[in-house]
Amino acid sequence: MSNTTLMMIKPDAVENGHIGNILQKILSSGFQIKALKLTQLSLNDAKRFYEIHKERAFFNDLVSFMSRGPIVVAVLKKKDAVNSFRNLIGSTDPSEAAEGTIRKLYATSIGENAVHGSDSDENAEIESSFHFAGRERF
Ligand code: CMP
């Protein structure tokens, strides 16, 4: 069990003006921000980030969506961060997400679901290294 995870506020939530509310909810849920930036993925970046999904039917939609506009990326710290953050964001499909979760509040569909959270400690490390240089994570 590690104490950090990687989160992204996806293009839909940035477009809809939810950056501030989502960061507020993360902080008030006890996460510390260890690294933070606004950036945009190229199509190629998105294909590399989501390589594990490349055989999925939704892959092209996913990478085109994730590269269509700015995103906010952060490394978050809390005890059992991966599981704790996945509980805070709710189910992938917002129609199945629990009341009060970030996806219930801000996501519009299974494809455009407002936020990403790492699904394992190993992927948290891979994804954090994808987005941040070592000196940016402390
Ligand atoms: P995320 O947790 O960022 O990681 C993979 C993403 O693929 C997921 O969020 C969804 O946005 C997307 N995804 C998963 N299942 C589907 C689906 N059935 N249709 C479209 N997009 C999906």
Side-chain angles (χ1 to χ4, degrees):
M1 178 175 88
S2 156
N3 60 0
T4 66
T5 191
L6 185 283
M7 84 94 189
M8 298 188 288
I9 302 178
K10 298 185 181 185
D12 59 325
V14 174
E15 287 158 12
N16 292 328
H18 298 316
I19 294 174
N21 286 336
I22 291 174
L23 289 178
Q24 177 58 39
K25 190 152 179 66
I26 289 169
L27 290 169
S28 66
S29 301
F31 290 89
Q32 241 185 299
I33 295 175
K34 302 302 287 181
L36 176 69
K37 68 181 166 191
L38 181 82
T39 186
Q40 183 162 354
L41 297 174
S42 68
L43 186 61
N44 207 39
D45 292 333
K47 285 181 181 170
R48 284 198 296 123
F49 187 89
Y50 283 112
E51 179 150 20
I52 49 170
H53 295 306
K54 69 172 187 283
E55 305 302 334
R56 303 288 194 95
F58 57 79
F59 182 73
N60 285 339
D61 287 344
L62 173 62
V63 295
S64 121
F65 161 60
M66 284 302 296
S67 58
R68 85 171 179 216
I71 59 172
V72 170
V73 194
V75 177
L76 304 177
K77 182 175 178 185
K78 189 182 179 185
K79 184 164 176 259
D80 196 16
V82 165
N83 292 321
S84 181
F85 190 67
R86 288 176 78 79
N87 287 336
L88 178 64
I89 66 182
S91 302
T92 305
D93 183 346
S95 69
E96 292 170 9
E99 286 301 325
T101 59
I102 293 175
R103 283 174 171 155
K104 185 70 176 185
L105 289 166
Y106 302 116
T108 48
S109 68
I110 191 167
E112 304 203 1
N113 61 2
V115 279
H116 166 84
S118 306
D119 65 3
S120 66
D121 290 344
E122 186 190 3
N123 282 335
E125 182 53 38
I126 292 168
E127 293 173 0
S128 297
S129 302
F130 179 95
H131 281 293
F132 293 100
R135 67 176 180 78
E136 296 175 299
R137 302 158 55 194
F138 52 90

